[in-house]
Amino acid sequence: MSENIIELKKLTKRYGYGDTESFALKDFDLTIKRGEFIMIMGPSGCGKTTLLNIIGLLDRATSGEYSLNGENVAGISSRRKARLRAKKIGFIFQNFNLIQDLSVLENVALPLVYVNQPRTVRLKNASDALSRFHLQEKEYYLPSQLSGGQQQRAAIARAIVSDPEIILADEPTGNLDSRASTAVMEELKSIHAEGNTIIMVTHNPALTVYATRVINMLDGQIDTDIKTVSDQNLPQKIEVKRGKRRKRKLSNRRKK
Ligand SMILES: Nc1ncnc2c1ncn2[C@@H]1O[C@H](COP(=O)(O)OP(=O)(O)OP(=O)(O)O)[C@@H](O)[C@H]1O
Ligand SMILES: [Mg+2]
């Protein structure tokens, strides 16, 4: 398996033509190693969300190359992209994006629909994920009955329930007070310590203490790029015992 989990080469995202032409990303080069915790900063409109959406296979670049685990995504069918997204990538958003008329438990179980688990197993795994984030008593609540911090922790549980190796977070603490924000960052820290790769956008410089690399963007390009942890000290992916998931992972590995 490629040590570079993500490789972007001359990635460009253009909007409009002629007089209205503008670039959200321009000749953007970035190589991300497994186990990095990257924080992306930069002024409003510099292309941070565009970048996360392309990495998360929710959007596509106008030109350039994107390799995920050594595979060029341009050659992947949209059906397989959807499956890759469900299995490999977890999303966390600033406004939580929980579905308001589903219970917290059903929200967290949702990504497992795409990895073909039966409903009872889905709910068990969702319940395990919620316990990890200390929300076990809130399983049957609706999102609106939770505080902002609790909603974001539920959204993190949803992002990690299928045990993806890449977590994309777009200003996950943007709507939280400092206490809830610290709680969310500590959860992300523990997910990172398990060897997962995290790419997070933030406007808060104080949070960069959690990162292994800080990238400042300007006008669709990298302005500065600083690694605070050397590549050999990045965490290795470890198996976490979480209900049925461990068995599934082990049997997957046997197949290889
Ligand atoms: N659908 C679209 N059509 C035209 N321009 C767009 C579209 N989506 C984004 N843009 C432009 O691309 C640029 C980058 O947008 P993006 O959302 O990535 O910025 P951002 O860095 O996430 O900003 P913020 O910090 O405000 O969230 C902006 O100039 C924006 O206006
Ligand atoms: Mg944005």
Side-chain angles (χ1 to χ4, degrees), residues 48-49 170-171:
K48 304 178 297 292
T49 297
D170 199 348
E171 298 188 51

Side-chain angles (χ1 to χ4, degrees), residues 80-144:
R80 210 175 128 239
K81 255 188 215 165
R83 217 174 323 130
L84 269 178
R85 199 159 53 221
K87 282 192 176 165
K88 302 268 184 202
I89 302 170
F91 289 92
I92 304 166
F93 304 92
Q94 179 173 1
N95 54 3
F96 325 129
N97 281 14
L98 296 166
I99 295 174
Q100 292 303 322
D101 50 8
L102 291 182
S103 71
V104 168
L105 184 66
E106 287 167 320
N107 264 285
V108 174
L110 216 49
L112 298 174
V113 170
Y114 304 99
V115 294
N116 293 325
Q117 289 184 358
R119 184 176 157 81
T120 48
V121 177
R122 291 204 298 269
L123 294 180
K124 167 76 173 70
N125 283 333
S127 178
D128 288 350
L130 281 167
S131 303
R132 171 172 180 186
F133 300 111
H134 318 292
L135 286 169
Q136 57 275 32
E137 317 91 78
K138 307 287 184 188
E139 284 183 0
Y140 297 103
Y141 283 52
L142 291 172
S144 59

Side-chain angles (χ1 to χ4, degrees), residues 123-238:
L123 294 180
K124 167 76 173 70
N125 283 333
S127 178
D128 288 350
L130 281 167
S131 303
R132 171 172 180 186
F133 300 111
H134 318 292
L135 286 169
Q136 57 275 32
E137 317 91 78
K138 307 287 184 188
E139 284 183 0
Y140 297 103
Y141 283 52
L142 291 172
S144 59
Q145 296 170 308
L146 267 53
S147 71
Q150 289 167 341
Q151 288 190 56
Q152 193 59 302
R153 288 190 347 256
I156 296 175
R158 180 186 58 186
I160 59 115
V161 75
S162 61
D163 205 12
E165 50 186 349
I166 301 171
I167 307 287
L168 303 176
D170 199 348
E171 298 188 51
T173 63
N175 285 341
L176 303 179
D177 62 31
S178 70
R179 197 159 150 258
S181 164
T182 302
V184 160
M185 289 315 301
E186 289 297 320
E187 306 297 11
L188 290 176
K189 183 179 170 180
S190 77
I191 293 166
H192 173 246
E194 292 168 4
N196 297 302
T197 307
I198 302 185
I199 307 164
M200 170 176 156
V201 168
T202 183
H203 281 113
N204 184 353
L207 300 184
T208 55
V209 293
Y210 289 93
T212 65
R213 181 176 182 185
V214 180
I215 293 177
N216 267 288
M217 287 178 62
L218 197 60
D219 295 338
Q221 294 187 313
I222 291 181
D223 186 31
T224 60
D225 180 355
I226 297 169
K227 286 190 181 183
T228 52
V229 172
S230 63
D231 290 345
Q232 63 267 31
N233 289 332
L234 295 173
Q236 302 285 315
K237 179 84 177 158
I238 50 169

Side-chain angles (χ1 to χ4, degrees), residues 57 68-69 71-73 75-88:
L57 305 173
L68 179 59
N69 271 323
E71 183 178 8
N72 189 338
V73 304
I76 302 176
S77 70
S78 51
R79 211 180 132 177
R80 210 175 128 239
K81 255 188 215 165
R83 217 174 323 130
L84 269 178
R85 199 159 53 221
K87 282 192 176 165
K88 302 268 184 202

